Amino acid sequence: MADAVLFEFLHTEMVAELWAQGPDPGPGVSAGPRRVGGGSEGRDEKGRKMNLSVLEGMGFRVGQALGERLPQETLAFREELDVLRFLCRDLWVAVFQKQMDGQRTHHQGTYVLQDSSFPLLVPMASGLQYLEEAPKFLAFTCGLLRGTLSTLGIESSVTASTAALPTCKFQVVIQQP
Amino acid sequence: MSRPAQRRPEYHKINRDLFVLTYGALVAQLCKDYEKDEDVNQYLDKMGYGIGTRLVEDFLARSCVGRCHSYSEIADIIAQVAFKMYLGITPSVTCNNSSRNEFSLILDKNPLVEFVEELPAGRSSLCYCNLLCGIIRGALEMVHLAADVTFLQDRLKGDSVTEIGITFLKKLDEKKYRRKK
């Protein structure tokens, strides 16, 4: 089944539609034509933050649900590092059909996961074009990671950055209890 | 990590669940944003349309379907090839009128609602799977076929089956049944 394609198309459509809604969505009202960076600065900033968090929140819900469907043995991780390796390999393969390229530990509880060819960015562009748009396409996945970690009993905050498409880095900061 | 052989079927399931779960989260979000069911339905249809216009290229590339000579062939392809390819189900097709331009796809199983027990309270007119209607409509339009696609029956609303109705609106243009690359 060509599920990956369906998810990618759905994700792209979600990013486009949720972005188009303004900070105060009423029934049937949208902020205007579907474009990025339009409108006055103040409202745009607020709209931008709000919509990224909506996407992230949806990713979180999905990540939590996915976490619950993982094989039982994955829930018995001993160490944080095992969990992160699981994210980079098994979760990424399950969700994106490939492994992440790298994982680095910055210091206690902070990890940087790198994907040099992130599937949700690949169709967009290569290089510096559309760099501004990239955060919208990363928000859902940040939430997904955070949600899966949450089901595994780990509270975290996940942010993503990209220097050039389609490479991106996910920074996972594990909240210490 | 051990046991690679056992791992694959589990992760295939995760892959399938990802789309279904994401769709559920989307519908939930739209229900928060819009009070009226009609607005949510319309939004889902619109998003589906956007997806359909792109999905059809993917479908044609993967399936290499032959030339279609009738609406009924197209309905069969949608049910037996496209639905099978993307959702793993094969709805049955019936023709609803003698001019042979109205068809129904009867969905026995519907993976999109796998995790949905019932519609949320106060959302009795919600067409949960309306994305599918938009997808079909968008895909058909890209191959120069105009159609109305709606849910005629919905198990989530208490009907016995889930039925998608496709009404082809224009005469099939024989020269261009599919987009030329």
mmCIF file of all heavy atoms in Angstrom, chain A residues 81-124:
data_model
loop_
_atom_site.group_PDB
_atom_site.id
_atom_site.type_symbol
_atom_site.label_atom_id
_atom_site.label_comp_id
_atom_site.label_asym_id
_atom_site.label_seq_id
_atom_site.Cartn_x
_atom_site.Cartn_y
_atom_site.Cartn_z
ATOM 1 N N LEU A 81 19.781 6.831 25.851
ATOM 2 C CA LEU A 81 20.464 6.693 24.574
ATOM 3 C C LEU A 81 19.788 5.632 23.717
ATOM 4 O O LEU A 81 19.682 5.762 22.495
ATOM 5 C CB LEU A 81 21.937 6.320 24.815
ATOM 6 C CG LEU A 81 22.922 6.786 23.745
ATOM 7 C CD1 LEU A 81 22.772 8.270 23.484
ATOM 8 C CD2 LEU A 81 24.345 6.472 24.185
ATOM 9 N N ASP A 82 19.283 4.578 24.376
ATOM 10 C CA ASP A 82 18.567 3.538 23.637
ATOM 11 C C ASP A 82 17.308 4.098 23.010
ATOM 12 O O ASP A 82 16.939 3.759 21.889
ATOM 13 C CB ASP A 82 18.176 2.390 24.577
ATOM 14 C CG ASP A 82 19.382 1.573 24.972
ATOM 15 O OD1 ASP A 82 20.362 1.566 24.201
ATOM 16 O OD2 ASP A 82 19.341 0.941 26.042
ATOM 17 N N VAL A 83 16.651 4.956 23.770
ATOM 18 C CA VAL A 83 15.423 5.552 23.257
ATOM 19 C C VAL A 83 15.724 6.403 22.034
ATOM 20 O O VAL A 83 15.035 6.339 21.013
ATOM 21 C CB VAL A 83 14.746 6.424 24.339
ATOM 22 C CG1 VAL A 83 13.522 7.115 23.766
ATOM 23 C CG2 VAL A 83 14.362 5.585 25.527
ATOM 24 N N LEU A 84 16.770 7.199 22.143
ATOM 25 C CA LEU A 84 17.108 8.069 21.016
ATOM 26 C C LEU A 84 17.509 7.255 19.793
ATOM 27 O O LEU A 84 17.154 7.588 18.663
ATOM 28 C CB LEU A 84 18.249 9.024 21.405
ATOM 29 C CG LEU A 84 17.832 10.361 22.005
ATOM 30 C CD1 LEU A 84 16.933 11.139 21.035
ATOM 31 C CD2 LEU A 84 17.100 10.213 23.316
ATOM 32 N N ARG A 85 18.223 6.177 20.056
ATOM 33 C CA ARG A 85 18.596 5.317 18.916
ATOM 34 C C ARG A 85 17.356 4.733 18.287
ATOM 35 O O ARG A 85 17.250 4.624 17.074
ATOM 36 C CB ARG A 85 19.493 4.173 19.401
ATOM 37 C CG ARG A 85 20.921 4.565 19.477
ATOM 38 C CD ARG A 85 21.850 3.365 19.423
ATOM 39 N NE ARG A 85 23.120 3.769 20.016
ATOM 40 C CZ ARG A 85 23.554 3.378 21.209
ATOM 41 N NH1 ARG A 85 22.873 2.523 21.914
ATOM 42 N NH2 ARG A 85 24.696 3.836 21.685
ATOM 43 N N PHE A 86 16.401 4.376 19.116
ATOM 44 C CA PHE A 86 15.147 3.845 18.607
ATOM 45 C C PHE A 86 14.445 4.857 17.702
ATOM 46 O O PHE A 86 13.926 4.532 16.638
ATOM 47 C CB PHE A 86 14.242 3.459 19.783
ATOM 48 C CG PHE A 86 12.807 3.274 19.389
ATOM 49 C CD1 PHE A 86 12.403 2.132 18.737
ATOM 50 C CD2 PHE A 86 11.869 4.265 19.638
ATOM 51 C CE1 PHE A 86 11.091 1.965 18.347
ATOM 52 C CE2 PHE A 86 10.555 4.101 19.249
ATOM 53 C CZ PHE A 86 10.161 2.948 18.607
ATOM 54 N N LEU A 87 14.460 6.122 18.135
ATOM 55 C CA LEU A 87 13.832 7.160 17.325
ATOM 56 C C LEU A 87 14.524 7.276 15.971
ATOM 57 O O LEU A 87 13.876 7.368 14.926
ATOM 58 C CB LEU A 87 13.908 8.521 18.025
ATOM 59 C CG LEU A 87 13.101 8.727 19.298
ATOM 60 C CD1 LEU A 87 13.278 10.148 19.799
ATOM 61 C CD2 LEU A 87 11.635 8.445 19.067
ATOM 62 N N CYS A 88 15.855 7.275 16.022
ATOM 63 C CA CYS A 88 16.610 7.494 14.789
ATOM 64 C C CYS A 88 16.486 6.342 13.819
ATOM 65 O O CYS A 88 16.517 6.534 12.608
ATOM 66 C CB CYS A 88 18.098 7.657 15.094
ATOM 67 S SG CYS A 88 18.444 9.162 15.925
ATOM 68 N N ARG A 89 16.398 5.147 14.380
ATOM 69 C CA ARG A 89 16.360 4.005 13.476
ATOM 70 C C ARG A 89 14.938 3.517 13.297
ATOM 71 O O ARG A 89 14.309 3.764 12.290
ATOM 72 C CB ARG A 89 17.222 2.878 14.031
ATOM 73 C CG ARG A 89 18.680 3.230 14.004
ATOM 74 C CD ARG A 89 19.505 2.055 14.439
ATOM 75 N NE ARG A 89 20.759 2.485 14.997
ATOM 76 C CZ ARG A 89 21.488 1.768 15.845
ATOM 77 N NH1 ARG A 89 21.072 0.599 16.224
ATOM 78 N NH2 ARG A 89 22.623 2.229 16.292
ATOM 79 N N ASP A 90 14.412 2.868 14.292
ATOM 80 C CA ASP A 90 13.151 2.169 14.091
ATOM 81 C C ASP A 90 11.964 3.078 13.830
ATOM 82 O O ASP A 90 11.179 2.843 12.916
ATOM 83 C CB ASP A 90 12.871 1.280 15.311
ATOM 84 C CG ASP A 90 14.004 0.323 15.548
ATOM 85 O OD1 ASP A 90 14.220 -0.524 14.673
ATOM 86 O OD2 ASP A 90 14.684 0.444 16.572
ATOM 87 N N LEU A 91 11.809 4.113 14.616
ATOM 88 C CA LEU A 91 10.661 4.983 14.397
ATOM 89 C C LEU A 91 10.759 5.670 13.047
ATOM 90 O O LEU A 91 9.795 5.741 12.291
ATOM 91 C CB LEU A 91 10.556 6.041 15.504
ATOM 92 C CG LEU A 91 9.315 6.918 15.335
ATOM 93 C CD1 LEU A 91 8.067 6.137 15.683
ATOM 94 C CD2 LEU A 91 9.395 8.182 16.178
ATOM 95 N N TRP A 92 11.948 6.150 12.729
ATOM 96 C CA TRP A 92 12.113 6.858 11.460
ATOM 97 C C TRP A 92 11.850 5.924 10.282
ATOM 98 O O TRP A 92 11.251 6.307 9.284
ATOM 99 C CB TRP A 92 13.521 7.456 11.385
ATOM 100 C CG TRP A 92 13.563 8.868 10.902
ATOM 101 C CD1 TRP A 92 14.224 9.361 9.807
ATOM 102 C CD2 TRP A 92 12.922 10.004 11.488
ATOM 103 N NE1 TRP A 92 14.029 10.709 9.679
ATOM 104 C CE2 TRP A 92 13.230 11.134 10.700
ATOM 105 C CE3 TRP A 92 12.100 10.186 12.603
ATOM 106 C CZ2 TRP A 92 12.767 12.423 10.990
ATOM 107 C CZ3 TRP A 92 11.628 11.453 12.890
ATOM 108 C CH2 TRP A 92 11.962 12.563 12.092
ATOM 109 N N VAL A 93 12.324 4.688 10.401
ATOM 110 C CA VAL A 93 12.087 3.717 9.325
ATOM 111 C C VAL A 93 10.594 3.424 9.204
ATOM 112 O O VAL A 93 10.042 3.354 8.118
ATOM 113 C CB VAL A 93 12.867 2.404 9.589
ATOM 114 C CG1 VAL A 93 12.366 1.299 8.692
ATOM 115 C CG2 VAL A 93 14.343 2.613 9.354
ATOM 116 N N ALA A 94 9.940 3.288 10.345
ATOM 117 C CA ALA A 94 8.508 2.982 10.310
ATOM 118 C C ALA A 94 7.727 4.123 9.690
ATOM 119 O O ALA A 94 6.797 3.912 8.918
ATOM 120 C CB ALA A 94 7.995 2.708 11.731
ATOM 121 N N VAL A 95 8.112 5.343 10.019
ATOM 122 C CA VAL A 95 7.338 6.495 9.572
ATOM 123 C C VAL A 95 7.804 7.004 8.215
ATOM 124 O O VAL A 95 6.996 7.373 7.367
ATOM 125 C CB VAL A 95 7.419 7.614 10.628
ATOM 126 C CG1 VAL A 95 6.797 8.887 10.127
ATOM 127 C CG2 VAL A 95 6.720 7.167 11.899
ATOM 128 N N PHE A 96 9.119 7.041 7.990
ATOM 129 C CA PHE A 96 9.638 7.651 6.761
ATOM 130 C C PHE A 96 10.410 6.697 5.862
ATOM 131 O O PHE A 96 11.017 7.118 4.889
ATOM 132 C CB PHE A 96 10.548 8.842 7.110
ATOM 133 C CG PHE A 96 9.821 9.962 7.802
ATOM 134 C CD1 PHE A 96 10.119 10.307 9.100
ATOM 135 C CD2 PHE A 96 8.835 10.663 7.135
ATOM 136 C CE1 PHE A 96 9.441 11.334 9.740
ATOM 137 C CE2 PHE A 96 8.141 11.699 7.756
ATOM 138 C CZ PHE A 96 8.449 12.029 9.067
ATOM 139 N N GLN A 97 10.411 5.427 6.209
ATOM 140 C CA GLN A 97 11.074 4.409 5.388
ATOM 141 C C GLN A 97 12.583 4.634 5.241
ATOM 142 O O GLN A 97 13.191 4.213 4.282
ATOM 143 C CB GLN A 97 10.466 4.312 3.957
ATOM 144 C CG GLN A 97 9.040 3.778 3.945
ATOM 145 C CD GLN A 97 8.051 4.869 4.275
ATOM 146 O OE1 GLN A 97 8.055 5.923 3.655
ATOM 147 N NE2 GLN A 97 7.207 4.616 5.273
ATOM 148 N N LYS A 98 13.167 5.325 6.159
ATOM 149 C CA LYS A 98 14.622 5.466 6.144
ATOM 150 C C LYS A 98 15.090 5.784 7.547
ATOM 151 O O LYS A 98 14.297 6.196 8.394
ATOM 152 C CB LYS A 98 15.047 6.585 5.189
ATOM 153 C CG LYS A 98 14.585 7.969 5.632
ATOM 154 C CD LYS A 98 14.922 9.043 4.613
ATOM 155 C CE LYS A 98 16.382 9.437 4.622
ATOM 156 N NZ LYS A 98 16.787 10.240 5.792
ATOM 157 N N GLN A 99 16.374 5.602 7.773
ATOM 158 C CA GLN A 99 16.909 5.954 9.089
ATOM 159 C C GLN A 99 17.388 7.396 9.071
ATOM 160 O O GLN A 99 17.681 7.948 8.028
ATOM 161 C CB GLN A 99 18.092 5.047 9.429
ATOM 162 C CG GLN A 99 17.713 3.609 9.649
ATOM 163 C CD GLN A 99 18.874 2.808 10.195
ATOM 164 O OE1 GLN A 99 19.892 3.370 10.593
ATOM 165 N NE2 GLN A 99 18.731 1.504 10.208
ATOM 166 N N MET A 100 17.482 7.947 10.244
ATOM 167 C CA MET A 100 18.112 9.268 10.347
ATOM 168 C C MET A 100 19.606 9.078 10.159
ATOM 169 O O MET A 100 20.136 7.987 10.344
ATOM 170 C CB MET A 100 17.872 9.857 11.734
ATOM 171 C CG MET A 100 16.551 10.514 11.855
ATOM 172 S SD MET A 100 16.665 11.827 13.072
ATOM 173 C CE MET A 100 15.109 11.687 13.855
ATOM 174 N N ASP A 101 20.273 10.145 9.796
ATOM 175 C CA ASP A 101 21.694 9.982 9.472
ATOM 176 C C ASP A 101 22.610 10.079 10.658
ATOM 177 O O ASP A 101 23.681 9.500 10.667
ATOM 178 C CB ASP A 101 22.118 11.045 8.453
ATOM 179 C CG ASP A 101 21.307 10.907 7.216
ATOM 180 O OD1 ASP A 101 21.368 9.835 6.604
ATOM 181 O OD2 ASP A 101 20.584 11.846 6.869
ATOM 182 N N GLY A 102 22.220 10.859 11.613
ATOM 183 C CA GLY A 102 23.180 11.048 12.694
ATOM 184 C C GLY A 102 22.497 11.436 13.983
ATOM 185 O O GLY A 102 21.388 11.972 14.006
ATOM 186 N N GLN A 103 23.191 11.162 15.024
ATOM 187 C CA GLN A 103 22.689 11.518 16.340
ATOM 188 C C GLN A 103 23.862 11.938 17.181
ATOM 189 O O GLN A 103 24.884 11.263 17.218
ATOM 190 C CB GLN A 103 22.023 10.279 16.944
ATOM 191 C CG GLN A 103 21.621 10.455 18.377
ATOM 192 C CD GLN A 103 21.496 9.112 19.073
ATOM 193 O OE1 GLN A 103 20.989 8.164 18.498
ATOM 194 N NE2 GLN A 103 21.978 9.035 20.289
ATOM 195 N N ARG A 104 23.719 13.071 17.803
ATOM 196 C CA ARG A 104 24.816 13.558 18.633
ATOM 197 C C ARG A 104 24.266 13.944 19.979
ATOM 198 O O ARG A 104 23.134 14.437 20.099
ATOM 199 C CB ARG A 104 25.433 14.784 17.960
ATOM 200 C CG ARG A 104 26.903 14.640 17.654
ATOM 201 C CD ARG A 104 27.406 15.808 16.846
ATOM 202 N NE ARG A 104 27.094 15.699 15.447
ATOM 203 C CZ ARG A 104 26.725 16.737 14.696
ATOM 204 N NH1 ARG A 104 26.593 17.932 15.211
ATOM 205 N NH2 ARG A 104 26.473 16.561 13.420
ATOM 206 N N THR A 105 25.082 13.732 20.980
ATOM 207 C CA THR A 105 24.696 14.166 22.319
ATOM 208 C C THR A 105 25.476 15.409 22.649
ATOM 209 O O THR A 105 26.706 15.398 22.603
ATOM 210 C CB THR A 105 25.053 13.071 23.342
ATOM 211 O OG1 THR A 105 24.488 11.852 22.883
ATOM 212 C CG2 THR A 105 24.489 13.396 24.699
ATOM 213 N N HIS A 106 24.750 16.493 22.939
ATOM 214 C CA HIS A 106 25.474 17.727 23.251
ATOM 215 C C HIS A 106 25.908 17.754 24.692
ATOM 216 O O HIS A 106 27.049 17.959 25.003
ATOM 217 C CB HIS A 106 24.598 18.941 22.939
ATOM 218 C CG HIS A 106 24.782 19.382 21.533
ATOM 219 N ND1 HIS A 106 24.181 20.493 21.013
ATOM 220 C CD2 HIS A 106 25.511 18.866 20.521
ATOM 221 C CE1 HIS A 106 24.533 20.638 19.738
ATOM 222 N NE2 HIS A 106 25.326 19.665 19.423
ATOM 223 N N HIS A 107 24.971 17.599 25.526
ATOM 224 C CA HIS A 107 25.322 17.396 26.931
ATOM 225 C C HIS A 107 24.155 16.666 27.572
ATOM 226 O O HIS A 107 23.205 16.299 26.893
ATOM 227 C CB HIS A 107 25.631 18.729 27.635
ATOM 228 C CG HIS A 107 24.601 19.781 27.385
ATOM 229 N ND1 HIS A 107 23.434 19.876 28.087
ATOM 230 C CD2 HIS A 107 24.579 20.795 26.487
ATOM 231 C CE1 HIS A 107 22.736 20.903 27.630
ATOM 232 N NE2 HIS A 107 23.399 21.480 26.669
ATOM 233 N N GLN A 108 24.217 16.448 28.804
ATOM 234 C CA GLN A 108 23.227 15.616 29.476
ATOM 235 C C GLN A 108 21.800 16.003 29.075
ATOM 236 O O GLN A 108 21.349 17.112 29.312
ATOM 237 C CB GLN A 108 23.389 15.780 30.996
ATOM 238 C CG GLN A 108 22.619 14.772 31.814
ATOM 239 C CD GLN A 108 23.321 13.424 31.822
ATOM 240 O OE1 GLN A 108 24.488 13.322 31.469
ATOM 241 N NE2 GLN A 108 22.604 12.386 32.201
ATOM 242 N N GLY A 109 21.094 15.070 28.443
ATOM 243 C CA GLY A 109 19.689 15.324 28.159
ATOM 244 C C GLY A 109 19.397 16.078 26.884
ATOM 245 O O GLY A 109 18.237 16.281 26.541
ATOM 246 N N THR A 110 20.430 16.505 26.152
ATOM 247 C CA THR A 110 20.169 17.208 24.899
ATOM 248 C C THR A 110 20.768 16.430 23.751
ATOM 249 O O THR A 110 21.956 16.119 23.756
ATOM 250 C CB THR A 110 20.783 18.620 24.913
ATOM 251 O OG1 THR A 110 20.219 19.349 25.981
ATOM 252 C CG2 THR A 110 20.469 19.356 23.611
ATOM 253 N N TYR A 111 19.934 16.143 22.776
ATOM 254 C CA TYR A 111 20.383 15.347 21.642
ATOM 255 C C TYR A 111 20.026 16.055 20.347
ATOM 256 O O TYR A 111 18.986 16.690 20.252
ATOM 257 C CB TYR A 111 19.704 13.971 21.662
ATOM 258 C CG TYR A 111 19.951 13.193 22.919
ATOM 259 C CD1 TYR A 111 19.120 13.353 24.026
ATOM 260 C CD2 TYR A 111 21.030 12.308 23.022
ATOM 261 C CE1 TYR A 111 19.341 12.665 25.198
ATOM 262 C CE2 TYR A 111 21.251 11.606 24.185
ATOM 263 C CZ TYR A 111 20.414 11.786 25.276
ATOM 264 O OH TYR A 111 20.648 11.109 26.428
ATOM 265 N N VAL A 112 20.889 15.908 19.380
ATOM 266 C CA VAL A 112 20.590 16.478 18.072
ATOM 267 C C VAL A 112 20.525 15.338 17.067
ATOM 268 O O VAL A 112 21.484 14.583 16.915
ATOM 269 C CB VAL A 112 21.688 17.485 17.648
ATOM 270 C CG1 VAL A 112 21.398 18.014 16.254
ATOM 271 C CG2 VAL A 112 21.756 18.623 18.644
ATOM 272 N N LEU A 113 19.384 15.221 16.436
ATOM 273 C CA LEU A 113 19.193 14.159 15.455
ATOM 274 C C LEU A 113 19.187 14.790 14.067
ATOM 275 O O LEU A 113 18.457 15.741 13.825
ATOM 276 C CB LEU A 113 17.844 13.466 15.706
ATOM 277 C CG LEU A 113 17.548 13.092 17.165
ATOM 278 C CD1 LEU A 113 16.149 12.537 17.306
ATOM 279 C CD2 LEU A 113 18.574 12.083 17.655
ATOM 280 N N GLN A 114 19.988 14.243 13.216
ATOM 281 C CA GLN A 114 20.104 14.862 11.897
ATOM 282 C C GLN A 114 19.597 13.957 10.789
ATOM 283 O O GLN A 114 19.875 12.767 10.760
ATOM 284 C CB GLN A 114 21.567 15.212 11.624
ATOM 285 C CG GLN A 114 21.772 15.727 10.214
ATOM 286 C CD GLN A 114 23.043 16.517 10.067
ATOM 287 O OE1 GLN A 114 23.452 17.247 10.958
ATOM 288 N NE2 GLN A 114 23.678 16.351 8.932
ATOM 289 N N ASP A 115 18.872 14.566 9.875
ATOM 290 C CA ASP A 115 18.439 13.848 8.687
ATOM 291 C C ASP A 115 18.861 14.670 7.471
ATOM 292 O O ASP A 115 18.398 15.801 7.301
ATOM 293 C CB ASP A 115 16.919 13.654 8.698
ATOM 294 C CG ASP A 115 16.459 12.654 7.641
ATOM 295 O OD1 ASP A 115 17.142 12.512 6.604
ATOM 296 O OD2 ASP A 115 15.416 12.016 7.834
ATOM 297 N N SER A 116 19.753 14.100 6.658
ATOM 298 C CA SER A 116 20.260 14.899 5.547
ATOM 299 C C SER A 116 19.309 14.907 4.362
ATOM 300 O O SER A 116 19.495 15.640 3.404
ATOM 301 C CB SER A 116 21.624 14.360 5.098
ATOM 302 O OG SER A 116 21.455 13.026 4.679
ATOM 303 N N SER A 117 18.277 14.081 4.447
ATOM 304 C CA SER A 117 17.348 14.039 3.328
ATOM 305 C C SER A 117 15.954 13.781 3.871
ATOM 306 O O SER A 117 15.373 12.723 3.657
ATOM 307 C CB SER A 117 17.803 12.923 2.373
ATOM 308 O OG SER A 117 16.901 12.794 1.327
ATOM 309 N N PHE A 118 15.433 14.761 4.584
ATOM 310 C CA PHE A 118 14.165 14.574 5.272
ATOM 311 C C PHE A 118 13.029 14.501 4.262
ATOM 312 O O PHE A 118 12.809 15.438 3.489
ATOM 313 C CB PHE A 118 13.951 15.722 6.257
ATOM 314 C CG PHE A 118 12.736 15.596 7.094
ATOM 315 C CD1 PHE A 118 12.509 14.450 7.847
ATOM 316 C CD2 PHE A 118 11.799 16.604 7.153
ATOM 317 C CE1 PHE A 118 11.371 14.318 8.632
ATOM 318 C CE2 PHE A 118 10.655 16.484 7.939
ATOM 319 C CZ PHE A 118 10.443 15.338 8.677
ATOM 320 N N PRO A 119 12.296 13.395 4.253
ATOM 321 C CA PRO A 119 11.322 13.156 3.194
ATOM 322 C C PRO A 119 10.258 14.232 3.029
ATOM 323 O O PRO A 119 9.744 14.430 1.939
ATOM 324 C CB PRO A 119 10.672 11.824 3.597
ATOM 325 C CG PRO A 119 11.695 11.154 4.431
ATOM 326 C CD PRO A 119 12.422 12.239 5.149
ATOM 327 N N LEU A 120 9.915 14.932 4.098
ATOM 328 C CA LEU A 120 8.875 15.947 3.944
ATOM 329 C C LEU A 120 9.437 17.240 3.350
ATOM 330 O O LEU A 120 8.682 18.124 2.959
ATOM 331 C CB LEU A 120 8.178 16.220 5.279
ATOM 332 C CG LEU A 120 7.428 15.013 5.864
ATOM 333 C CD1 LEU A 120 6.793 15.372 7.185
ATOM 334 C CD2 LEU A 120 6.358 14.525 4.903
ATOM 335 N N LEU A 121 10.773 17.341 3.318
ATOM 336 C CA LEU A 121 11.376 18.539 2.714
ATOM 337 C C LEU A 121 11.874 18.266 1.305
ATOM 338 O O LEU A 121 12.031 19.183 0.510
ATOM 339 C CB LEU A 121 12.556 19.028 3.565
ATOM 340 C CG LEU A 121 12.233 19.666 4.905
ATOM 341 C CD1 LEU A 121 13.523 20.076 5.607
ATOM 342 C CD2 LEU A 121 11.346 20.888 4.725
ATOM 343 N N VAL A 122 12.129 17.004 1.018
ATOM 344 C CA VAL A 122 12.706 16.661 -0.289
ATOM 345 C C VAL A 122 11.887 17.171 -1.475
ATOM 346 O O VAL A 122 12.452 17.727 -2.407
ATOM 347 C CB VAL A 122 12.934 15.124 -0.390
ATOM 348 C CG1 VAL A 122 13.169 14.699 -1.813
ATOM 349 C CG2 VAL A 122 14.096 14.702 0.482
ATOM 350 N N PRO A 123 10.562 17.031 -1.450
ATOM 351 C CA PRO A 123 9.804 17.504 -2.625
ATOM 352 C C PRO A 123 9.818 19.015 -2.782
ATOM 353 O O PRO A 123 9.456 19.521 -3.833
ATOM 354 C CB PRO A 123 8.365 17.044 -2.341
ATOM 355 C CG PRO A 123 8.438 16.125 -1.205
ATOM 356 C CD PRO A 123 9.678 16.418 -0.447
ATOM 357 N N MET A 124 10.233 19.731 -1.747
ATOM 358 C CA MET A 124 10.117 21.180 -1.818
ATOM 359 C C MET A 124 11.215 21.809 -2.636
ATOM 360 O O MET A 124 10.984 22.583 -3.546
ATOM 361 C CB MET A 124 10.186 21.774 -0.414
ATOM 362 C CG MET A 124 8.865 21.835 0.270
ATOM 363 S SD MET A 124 9.066 22.342 1.947
ATOM 364 C CE MET A 124 9.537 24.028 1.727
#
